[in-house]
Amino acid sequence: MRILILDRDPISRTRTARLLAHPSITIITASTCGEARRALFCQYPQLAVFDENLPDGCGLDLLSLARRIGTRVIIMNSMLNDYAFMATALRLGASDVLPKPCNPCDLVHAIWQGNAMDWRTALGQYATAPIRGALLL
């Protein structure tokens, strides 16, 4: 499984990557919309975590592209507690919208809810373990 993490903040990007690290998962990181667009076209991630506010655009700009190439679960992170933004993100194809910084358990739960079958497949032998325990070890 390939996961794209798009975040302008290197600390947040690294923290999310470490949280989702697993031997059967390839983590792809990007700090701009341009880098993320290239990763979407070249590596076809199954899952994406997008930041809302980026130096060269907004994570919302990439939602429809990510859906067209087959990304199944897209989590949006937003520093804004704005219902209009949340509604727009969900309408454009986001699986969930989480506040930034997000609680690691909330992120894992959102991913699990968005695509439980793919996670069981990706985790292989760990499929019988609780998802939080499998990813946070």
Side-chain angles (χ1 to χ4, degrees):
M1 174 177 273
R2 289 173 304 283
I3 299 175
L4 171 60
I5 300 169
L6 170 60
D7 198 323
R8 72 177 186 279
D9 177 27
I11 294 170
S12 178
R13 192 171 52 243
T14 302
R15 183 178 65 98
T16 304
R18 285 183 183 160
L19 171 71
L20 299 176
H22 187 274
S24 65
I25 295 173
T26 301
I27 303 289
I28 307 155
T29 60
S31 60
T32 65
C33 285
E35 289 176 9
R37 195 172 282 112
R38 280 188 294 278
L40 286 168
F41 280 122
C42 296
Q43 300 188 28
Y44 302 102
Q46 288 88 13
L47 188 142
V49 180
F50 289 165
D51 190 4
E52 165 225 356
N53 189 14
L54 300 159
D56 60 343
C58 177
L60 289 176
D61 301 336
L62 299 172
L63 282 172
S64 62
L65 173 62
R67 286 289 182 202
R68 280 196 309 262
I69 63 132
T71 304
R72 289 183 288 276
V73 178
I74 305 169
I75 309 297
M76 288 294 303
N77 281 334
S78 173
M79 294 202 62
L80 303 173
N81 191 8
D82 180 10
Y83 290 113
F85 172 80
M86 291 178 202
T88 301
L90 293 171
R91 184 174 42 82
L92 291 174
S95 304
D96 205 343
V97 180
L98 298 175
K100 187 177 178 184
C102 68
N103 178 327
C105 290
D106 290 343
L107 177 61
V108 172
H109 180 73
I111 292 168
W112 177 253
Q113 290 296 98
N115 212 355
M117 289 309 295
D118 281 345
W119 276 99
R120 285 192 201 114
T121 302
L123 294 175
Q125 65 182 350
Y126 300 104
T128 56
I131 189 68
R132 288 183 183 157
L135 289 177
L136 296 177
L137 291 179

